[in-house]
Amino acid sequence: MTIANIRLPTSGGDDELMYQEEIEALSDSMARVLTDECDSLALHAYMDGKSDLDDQVWKRASELGWMAAALPERFGGMNVGPYGLEALHTALGRRAAPGPFVATLSAAQWLSEIGPEELQAEYLPLIASGQLKVGIPVAIGSGPMLSHTGSTLSGQLDVLGSADAGLIIAPVGSGQTVEAWALLKPATACVTLSPQEIWDPTREICALHCASAPMIALLPDPDGNIGRRLQRHVALALAADSLGAASNISAQTIDYLKSRVQFGRPIASFQAIKHRAVDMIASIAMQRHLLAQGVESAAADSPDADMWAALAKAGATEAFAFVSGDCIQLHGGVGHTWEFDPHIYAKRARLNEALAADNRALRDFAATALAAITRQGHSTTELGI
């Protein structure tokens, strides 16, 4: 199954069913490739500094057309939108695959929706082919911002992406207010992008320093809609990544419980252990429905899409943190060791929680959005899920 076979639904019915089946086939294909090329042994070798797995996965994803999945056809994409991105981020999350996928794919979707045509034509084909990596702010809508004087930028902020990113999307403003979003290239004498040491080696955060750096473009954002749209795509990416990862590490742990014997029988037969396993599975299942609502709303560009994305990110990342932490405990003493997988997923979970925006802030935003929708006489329950 290749992305080139994907067709968008046109009028519901058989077309929509066929589209769903093809997205599922694409998801299965991604899962098979990553299971083969980013298994536990490969991931541990990468964590030990013995391989360039991040570059290998990036190259493979580019060769198979995954980077183009959600982009419009006129830019080399296949136009499968948020549904395709959900499938990809879920598959990457299941294997805790390293690389700047969240930042680059979210930025590409954002640019395809709000960017001027000339910027789209220049950068989206490069992203679709895997030639361009993009950096985005670690915190969207809050935290440090760059200041601009004329056509230059100054300041510093933390960026999610990679040290070899060829494009940076940065907030511009003063005080606590984001006034615009700037695009700049880090490969200039006025810009430095320095990798920072973080607890999750599968991701990279860099410190961006600008000193009168020339900008490529400045996109005004007087009402915050542009920033919220970027946050929407990052939130859904993190939610899908989290649920894919939580599903895999919980399945690994349950298999381990079935093989570990205490008092002459597998510990998976103990009632207390069964309850903890059910709690993990139930928490993942509930958040899957919330993510599905967020993806559907984003695909329809619904007015409440930002609300659902915020709730999906907050719920999924917290569920992932709960599951990964419990998996460490359920492995017993070995769960804390470097040789086993749970610590890798626990570190990824904690970083996912921190990225994009604080989960409490996201829920506050969702509550405010829900109140506004109610005052307008609408109901979010009218959406079909």
Side-chain angles (χ1 to χ4, degrees), residues 47-203:
M47 299 284 284
D48 291 336
K50 298 177 180 178
S51 75
D52 57 349
L53 182 63
D54 52 346
D55 292 335
Q56 295 173 29
V57 173
W58 183 270
K59 181 180 179 181
R60 190 70 170 131
S62 302
E63 292 172 347
L64 294 174
W66 296 353
M67 305 302 297
L71 297 178
E73 293 181 4
R74 68 184 187 279
F75 300 123
M78 297 303 162
N79 203 32
V80 296
Y83 292 105
L85 287 176
E86 178 196 12
L88 177 53
H89 286 300
T90 298
L92 291 166
R94 283 188 67 84
R95 310 312 310 182
F101 291 98
V102 168
T104 300
L105 293 170
S106 299
Q109 188 70 10
W110 175 80
L111 189 59
S112 73
E113 294 173 356
I114 63 90
E117 183 70 25
E118 61 272 16
L119 292 178
Q120 294 176 345
E122 181 175 359
Y123 293 110
L124 293 183
L126 296 176
I127 294 174
S129 63
Q131 298 177 64
L132 179 66
K133 299 174 184 177
V134 185
I136 62 173
V138 167
I140 301 173
S142 62
M145 292 174 283
L146 303 182
S147 59
H148 77 100
T149 303
S151 60
T152 63
L153 299 166
S154 298
Q156 61 184 40
L157 72 154
D158 290 332
V159 171
L160 175 68
S162 65
D164 59 346
L167 181 68
I168 302 294
I169 297 170
V172 175
S174 57
Q176 299 297 315
T177 303
V178 176
E179 301 168 356
W181 290 84
L183 277 66
L184 69 153
K185 290 183 178 179
T188 68
C190 305
V191 181
T192 60
L193 203 57
S194 307
Q196 304 296 296
E197 185 175 352
I198 58 174
W199 63 83
D200 174 20
T202 68
R203 300 273 175 70

Side-chain angles (χ1 to χ4, degrees), residues 333-370:
V334 297
H336 296 271
T337 63
W338 188 255
E339 290 77 11
F340 281 72
D341 287 356
H343 74 92
I344 298 175
Y345 286 81
K347 292 171 183 175
R348 193 172 177 108
R350 289 305 184 186
L351 185 58
N352 280 4
E353 275 191 303
L355 292 174
D358 178 80
N359 286 344
R360 289 173 296 181
L362 290 175
R363 289 194 171 102
D364 286 344
F365 164 76
T368 301
L370 179 60

Side-chain angles (χ1 to χ4, degrees), residues 93 241-251 284 316 319-320 323-324 327 345:
D241 181 275
S242 296
L243 295 183
S247 296
N248 188 35
I249 195 60
S250 62
I284 296 168
F320 182 22
V323 168
S324 60
C327 287
Y345 286 81

